[in-house]
Amino acid sequence: MLNDPRSHGLWEKTAPEPPTTSPLDGAMSADVVIVGGGYTGLSSALHLAEAGSKVVLLEAKEIGFGGAGRNVGLINAGMWVMPNDLPGVLGPVHGERLLDLLGNAPKLVMELIDKHQIACELERNGTLHCAVGADGLKEIEDRAAQWSARGAAVTLLDAAETAKRIGSDAYTGSLLDKRAGTLQPLAYARGLAHAAVKAGVTIHTSSPVIGTERNGGRWTVKTASGEVSAEWIIVATDAYSTGPWEQVRSEQVHLPYFNFATVPLGHNLRQSILPGREGVWDTKEILSSFRMDQAGRLVFGSVGALRNTGLAVHRGWAKRALKRLFPDIGDVEFECEWYGQIGMTDNALPRFHKFAPGVVGFSGYNGRGIAPGTVFGRTLAEHILGRLPEADLPLPLTSPTEPSFRALKEIWYEAGAQVAHFADARF
Ligand SMILES: Cc1cc2nc3c(=O)[nH]c(=O)nc-3n(C[C@H](O)[C@H](O)[C@H](O)COP(=O)(O)OP(=O)(O)OC[C@H]3O[C@@H](n4cnc5c(N)ncnc54)[C@H](O)[C@@H]3O)c2cc1C
């Protein structure tokens, strides 16, 4: 995107075209202005417009420019925090609400894809959270037990069944989450944008919001070449936030994450590696993830930024790690390589913010934004439509606060991943 082959990689190469849009030019009026064209903004826009609201969505660059166009495409159910720990972290009311909402969030994604016939390579075959060693196995056993006790469709698989599904015997077991799946992330974002436009939303791209003004109970949202007046503003800018809501970005620690997509694998490899097309990630601290795309490319990722020395280090590691996992893959060629920034919060949970009267937003999905962004977008729409009071929202209201040593932590993540990947499989 924007002539950078390492920003959106494979997803840009294979996604259907977005709707035709142009920069905001002149003055407009709406019920709601949405800032940000990722899953949160697009889902809010779609749900509001379907309920009859007049909506203008302003995107700084292009639809899916942020995490929505760069991610792995795992439609996860739930967060990193263990299900039984969540009520302790958020309090019992919000904890249970969030578990229920996020556990069912992949279902909403799949329903929207069906309803709006979004061509985004959806696979409904679940995800496999793969255990590395005895500690990893203990972690997924606990997770499986806790989700099962809540009636979730998860199953613990032993090492042999995991090896059959993955095509590698590297793991001591896995947690199959049948609620989850995979998709082509940019195609999903662009599909939501088409559906939103059809429902009546006006989308302006290349329109970064640079300021706001309050006049007589309404907001004026300004870009360099125009302005929109509205009663409500939804801030859906998350980790790529610029302009007036810089605090959304600065309350997060950015974790770089890359992906390499192989050339389409041959018939035999496609029969042995992920024949069921589940999405995978592992329990390592510097985790790896992989999934197939529709054409049989293996998309393999981990922590790190593909810039400066990181490019060669992570590329070399990815080749070695793939060969170790799947010896038959040989010296596989990469067709695309890209990376993005994941916004992490200090308790690994998302945030609900009210920046001013009538200015609201969710953010901070900790690398799990496809399903949460979609469901929180709908939640924001329901809140604005008066159907969901603040007291009934799935998260408590908090003020953005910058974590200590944020910049140092970001340097540490980027450099630490390079050191780990340089050493891994060499020493
Ligand atoms: C490499 C990577 C891998 C990931 N893997 C997964 C995964 O497998 N599964 C999963 O569920 N999640 C994953 N995520 C996380 C997921 O992509 C994000 O949580 C999700 O995209 C957040 O959606 P959003 O709509 O809130 O924000 P975004 O998708 O980031 O969209 C925000 C948008 O706001 C725009 N914007 C910012 N400031 C302004 C402004 N001033 N004016 C106008 N527009 C503005 C940006 O340009 C951007 O397009 C991953 C993220 C990354 C980076």
Side-chain angles (χ1 to χ4, degrees):
M1 219 176 268
L2 305 176
N3 296 323
D4 179 356
R6 294 207 182 91
S7 63
H8 298 77
L10 177 65
W11 307 138
E12 187 171 17
K13 192 169 173 174
T14 61
E17 287 298 309
T20 306
T21 51
S22 58
L24 177 67
D25 188 13
M28 296 181 76
S29 148
D31 298 320
V32 185
V33 177
I34 295 172
V35 187
Y39 307 126
T40 311
L42 292 164
S43 171
S44 325
L46 174 60
H47 287 99
L48 279 165
E50 282 181 336
S53 298
K54 188 170 178 205
V55 180
V56 173
L57 186 149
L58 301 174
E59 161 54 46
K61 310 272 188 190
E62 295 180 32
I63 294 300
F65 175 79
R70 303 167 192 251
N71 66 64
V72 181
L74 305 173
I75 317 168
N76 297 114
M79 285 277 137
W80 295 105
V81 179
M82 282 284 188
N84 286 2
D85 294 344
L86 235 170
V89 180
L90 275 184
V93 173
H94 288 107
E96 292 299 335
R97 256 185 223 158
L98 193 66
L99 277 170
D100 186 47
L101 190 76
L102 296 187
N104 288 308
K107 194 162 160 254
L108 174 67
V109 172
M110 294 177 196
E111 281 169 3
L112 286 176
I113 291 170
D114 289 341
K115 179 175 171 190
H116 299 286
Q117 304 201 330
I118 299 175
C120 61
E121 306 187 11
L122 173 64
E123 294 282 358
R124 303 169 200 261
N125 298 345
T127 51
L128 292 164
H129 188 183
C130 288
V132 178
D135 288 351
L137 189 58
K138 171 86 178 74
E139 183 193 327
I140 61 159
E141 281 170 352
D142 289 349
R143 217 175 259 282
Q146 293 179 20
W147 273 123
S148 295
R150 293 170 180 276
V154 301
T155 313
L156 196 63
L157 305 180
D158 63 14
E161 177 62 20
T162 303
K164 208 164 96 191
R165 286 175 183 251
I166 302 273
S168 168
D169 57 9
Y171 303 107
T172 46
S174 62
L175 171 64
L176 170 64
D177 192 333
K178 295 188 206 107
R179 300 168 294 179
T182 63
L183 47 63
Q184 208 279 27
L186 182 60
Y188 174 52
R190 287 182 174 178
L192 285 177
H194 278 288
V197 168
K198 232 184 236 168
V201 175
T202 304
I203 298 181
H204 290 291
T205 47
S206 303
S207 301
V209 171
I210 52 175
T212 60
E213 225 175 71
R214 184 90 166 143
N215 303 306
R218 282 179 74 81
W219 289 100
T220 303
V221 176
K222 298 180 178 189
T223 70
S225 55
E227 57 181 49
V228 188
S229 109
E231 199 179 327
W232 287 87
I233 303 174
I234 288 181
V235 179
T237 52
D238 198 43
Y240 284 83
S241 201
T242 58
W245 300 285
E246 167 59 23
Q247 69 264 49
V248 171
R249 188 242 171 280
S250 60
E251 82 167 330
Q252 305 173 349
V253 175
H254 279 189
L255 178 78
Y257 200 92
F258 62 77
N259 280 292
F260 290 94
T262 66
V263 293
L265 300 179
H267 176 76
N268 288 348
L269 285 171
R270 281 159 76 170
Q271 296 304 107
S272 64
I273 301 175
L274 290 177
R277 298 288 179 265
E278 300 93 340
V280 178
W281 76 102
D282 66 29
T283 56
K284 279 192 183 171
E285 193 157 349
I286 299 184
L287 81 164
S288 306
S289 56
F290 48 96
R291 42 83 43 105
M292 288 282 186
D293 83 340
Q294 212 161 48
R297 300 177 184 93
L298 188 60
V299 177
F300 185 67
S302 184
V303 179
L306 301 185
R307 59 184 170 199
N308 308 323
T309 50
L311 182 52
V313 168
H314 298 307
R315 198 192 279 141
W317 169 81
K319 290 199 174 206
R320 292 194 305 278
L322 273 176
K323 231 176 175 175
R324 196 173 33 177
L325 271 173
F326 311 110
D328 290 346
I329 211 166
D331 290 313
V332 71
E333 257 182 77
F334 293 137
E335 189 177 314
C336 297
E337 49 192 31
W338 69 101
Y339 76 105
Q341 303 288 346
I342 294 178
M344 312 290 288
T345 58
D346 54 9
N347 65 356
L349 289 174
R351 300 282 193 269
F352 169 63
H353 295 313
K354 191 154 90 180
F355 301 92
V359 186
V360 287
F362 283 101
S363 54
Y365 305 134
N366 292 272
R368 299 191 143 211
I370 298 175
T374 306
V375 84
F376 283 136
R378 185 184 65 180
T379 300
L380 287 169
E382 286 168 345
H383 179 56
I384 286 175
L385 292 164
R387 299 174 188 166
L388 195 60
E390 198 175 298
D392 293 343
L393 291 176
L395 285 169
L397 177 66
T398 48
S399 306
T401 44
E402 186 161 337
S404 43
F405 307 115
R406 180 171 67 87
L408 273 180
K409 284 177 185 160
E410 290 180 352
I411 293 168
W412 170 248
Y413 285 152
E414 184 165 345
Q418 264 192 62
V419 172
H421 284 159
F422 182 78
D424 189 39
R426 277 176 199 268
F427 307 118

